[in-house]
Amino acid sequence: MFDSFSSKISGIFERLRKSGGLKESDVDDALRAIRIALLEADVSLDVARKFIAEVKEKAIGQNVIKSISPAQMVVKIVHDHLVELLGKSTPLKDNQKPYKIMLVGLQGAGKTTTAAKLAKFFSKKNKKVVMASTDIYRPAAIEQLKVLSRRVSGAVFAQSDEKSVEKICKFALKAVKSESADTLILDTAGRLHIDDVKMMELQEIQQDVNPDEIILVVDIMTGQDAFNIAKKFSEALPISGLILTRVDGDARGGVALSMRALTGCEIKFLCTGEQLDEIEFFDAERIAGKLLDMGDIVSFVEKAQENFTKEEAEETAKRLQAGIFTFDDLAVQMEKMSKIGGLKMILKMLPQSKQLEDMLSASGVSDKTVGRNIAIIRSMTKKEKTNYKLINGARKKRIAAGSGTTIQEVNKLIKQYESTLDVLKKIRKSSMNKMMSMIGR
Ligand SMILES: Nc1nc2c(ncn2[C@@H]2O[C@H](COP(=O)(O)OP(=O)(O)OP(=O)(O)O)[C@@H](O)[C@H]2O)c(=O)[nH]1
Ligand SMILES: [Mg+2]
């Protein structure tokens, strides 16, 4: 569903990221492009406008810490806003027994298929499921659910000869009791239009069954109509959540994006095909991550925010500017970088990463050796750390023994440190400050 929206939006961020130094106009351009992508995905104009305005306000007010490029920050802000827009759903209360779910919706929305999918979903969670249908109107509708129920191992279809909705409900509740079932899934009849008669029948079922969830099944292909359907049903029944079906097509992703904002209804599941396991629990975080396809950046920014303070960053930058880079500095850099997910990931994400990669490969720092190298540095004396030329053969032996490493490893680290100093000297005059601020903070 989200494929084209997702690829558009990641394209926008890709360009933003490549632009390196970021001007406000770059952010503006990106936000404009995101707005268009939202509208193309069928997000309503109001929702798209509000979304962009909020992201912009947050982006401008944000204290961007320097380890993060502004582009990364924008990705993070957009991500968080997407999560908010999609809306987190409350966890299922399926620990209570019996847990009764009633499915409602317009004709052809996918209720019966979804009933079977849910039965399978809960069966897989080792719940004993009873399925029943009150659709006495469409010929073979009850049979349809019965046939589907055979494909759900362990589920019981409450087969009754009753012809009234009320009696079918009673029969279903009895089956739940006699089977000592955990879950009841009750399918109801769909109608072409929302009318009072239909709503009254549903209200009566609600009173008879007293369900824990009344879930509205909405076909996402109905587009903007989906909002009206949700509103109308909510007016008549205490809808506890939505299940969106036909989320397998590419278009109309905007319905999912704007549903929460426009109706206040929680989305509980997405159905992505006709097969019984094509249903997934609605997880706003995961969907936002998928939409942006930039989960790595989002978690990087989070970790960086946790691990680096602005003051620390400024201090490091000052020292580097003055040409000071001791073994302690190296240890701090290595430690911080390993904390925020390893060098490779950082390099992948930073602008100007080619230059940085050269520098780091010259310094020979790799994720694997970080722990051992830090141990070596900890075994050095204060003087050794600031003046590596003091480290002679005897000292190397002591350091190796103290850190549980070998003299070769100590030599290697010193060599790496030397070449880092060399590289630092070379690039200091140009854009060093900027670049080091990126790995350092
Ligand atoms: N592609 C796709 N098709 C679906 C999905 N869910 C249901 N369908 C199909 O949609 C058609 C209608 O589904 P039903 O489950 O019978 O819909 P209903 O709401 O029970 O219909 P009525 O009982 O007539 O109101 C069937 O052909 C299903 O296979 C979905 O998520 N994706
Ligand atoms: Mg049906």
Side-chain angles (χ1 to χ4, degrees), residues 68-122:
I68 302 161
S69 72
Q72 289 166 345
M73 201 66 209
V74 174
V75 172
K76 170 81 165 86
I77 293 170
V78 170
H79 169 271
D80 290 354
H81 260 76
L82 274 176
V83 172
E84 222 169 274
L85 184 69
L86 290 161
K88 286 191 183 155
S89 43
T90 43
L92 300 168
K93 293 168 281 200
D94 57 339
N95 276 336
Q96 66 193 61
K97 185 178 170 174
Y99 180 54
K100 294 173 286 184
I101 300 174
M102 170 178 170
L103 296 177
V104 301
L106 288 188
Q107 203 171 73
K111 294 176 298 298
T112 306
T113 314
T114 303
K117 287 177 179 177
L118 285 175
K120 190 163 181 189
F121 177 86
F122 288 111

Side-chain angles (χ1 to χ4, degrees), residues 222-236:
T222 53
Q224 304 282 332
D225 270 352
F227 309 124
N228 291 329
I229 298 168
K231 273 185 204 150
K232 286 259 169 61
F233 270 91
S234 298
E235 279 161 20

Side-chain angles (χ1 to χ4, degrees), residues 136-195:
I136 52 175
Y137 305 102
R138 192 164 62 76
I142 296 182
E143 185 66 19
Q144 184 194 351
L145 187 66
K146 185 179 166 188
V147 170
L148 285 172
S149 75
R150 293 199 194 112
R151 284 164 52 194
V152 184
S153 63
V156 173
F157 182 75
Q159 168 87 52
S160 86
D161 299 323
E162 302 293 352
K163 296 280 178 292
S164 90
V165 169
E166 192 189 344
K167 285 184 178 157
I168 292 176
C169 290
K170 283 211 175 103
F171 186 86
L173 289 175
K174 247 191 238 156
V176 168
K177 236 189 193 151
S178 65
E179 294 286 337
S180 176
D182 302 291
T183 316
L184 168 68
I185 296 180
L186 189 66
D187 186 18
T188 62
R191 295 283 165 85
L192 219 46
H193 303 288
I194 299 165
D195 56 56

